[in-house]
Amino acid sequence: MIDLHTHTNKSDGTDSPRELVNKAISLGMSVIGITDHDTTSGWLQAIESLRGDLALALGSEISCLTHDGISVHMLGLLFDGQHLEMQNMLEETRDGRLPRMRTMIEKMRAVGIDISMEDVYNALPTGATLGRPHLADALVNKGVIKSRDEAFQGMLNNDSEFYVSHAAPTPEDAIRMIRNAGGVAVIAHPFASLRGQILSASDFKSLVDAGLNGIEVDHRDQNPEERAMLRAIAEELDLVITGASDYHGSGKLNSLGEHGTSPDQ
Ligand code: AMP
Ligand code: ZN
Ligand code: FE
Ligand code: FE
């Protein structure tokens, strides 16, 4: 089983890189992608934990924003972790997540919700990329909501009054950076419409021109029709087709290896 998209507690997953690697080994998997949001900080521990037949596709899921304000996630895999411009780009995005979180909290406090930046920090693992799931955890700890899922179906959804975006590269810039750093670029769950506005089929051409290598097709947030459309786009544009779990530990229902990528791809 090749599962190219997972998260650890270096972003919004709940397993440490070591725990994730151990889980993959015990499941007899052949490859896992370590793709924490806007960081490579889980790579070292994953490498140190590696043994047996498991191989790692080290990467990152890079938050992107189109000029139209559509949120896009770009998986960069197998790029040089020491590439300075890449690390600067990731760091800038991580930095931008702080003022964004403060603004979301201010909006909540303005309508009387009892939540503070300190609550969010208390829910954030050391060194993790700060995101909405940590705000969700803080709201759970405060008894405002029951789960991350409930948060994303309501007050933390992209369409919610509390939602604020953060600065991020365009998908094209992220792709060019990934390729310059020697990696491959796979667009993550492009038709996952429950998360908010998504790309349209015609947007893929400019991504390919920037150097896009593949499309994540088999992902639980894309239904059979959406996957069929993406498969057709991938075939038309000669792109690799991937599948992955987007595993987040206990932070999401997704189980490790629930979708995979075929070896020929
Ligand atoms: P952010 O990057 O801060 O905008 O937060 C978005 C992240 O929240 C995505 O990477 C998702 O993995 C995560 N997410 C989205 N929906 C859910 C959900 N229902 N439960 C848990 N995490 C979610
Ligand atoms: Zn996530
Ligand atoms: Fe994503
Ligand atoms: Fe993800």
Side-chain angles (χ1 to χ4, degrees), residues 88-191:
N88 287 341
M89 185 182 83
L90 298 177
E91 189 178 355
E92 259 181 54
T93 301
R94 292 197 302 272
D95 288 349
R97 286 170 165 278
L98 266 131
R100 177 260 200 147
M101 184 63 70
R102 279 193 214 104
T103 309
M104 289 189 72
I105 286 169
E106 276 162 25
K107 283 174 179 259
M108 289 184 174
R109 294 179 69 89
V111 298
I113 298 167
D114 173 28
I115 193 76
S116 70
M117 201 66 188
E118 197 190 344
D119 297 326
V120 177
Y121 276 126
N122 287 337
L124 184 71
T126 316
T129 302
L130 174 66
R132 277 179 283 166
H134 306 109
L135 174 53
D137 292 347
L139 290 163
V140 171
N141 293 341
K142 282 266 166 153
V144 179
I145 51 163
K146 288 213 165 59
S147 69
R148 282 188 182 186
D149 260 328
E150 185 186 327
F152 277 92
Q153 277 157 30
M155 56 200 301
L156 293 189
N157 193 272
N158 288 33
D159 301 322
S160 147
E161 59 181 303
F162 305 116
Y163 178 72
V164 178
S165 65
H166 58 80
T170 65
E172 286 84 359
D173 282 345
I175 291 168
R176 282 187 282 267
M177 186 68 80
I178 292 164
R179 298 299 301 269
N180 283 339
V184 294
V186 177
I187 186 168
H189 49 69
F191 283 178

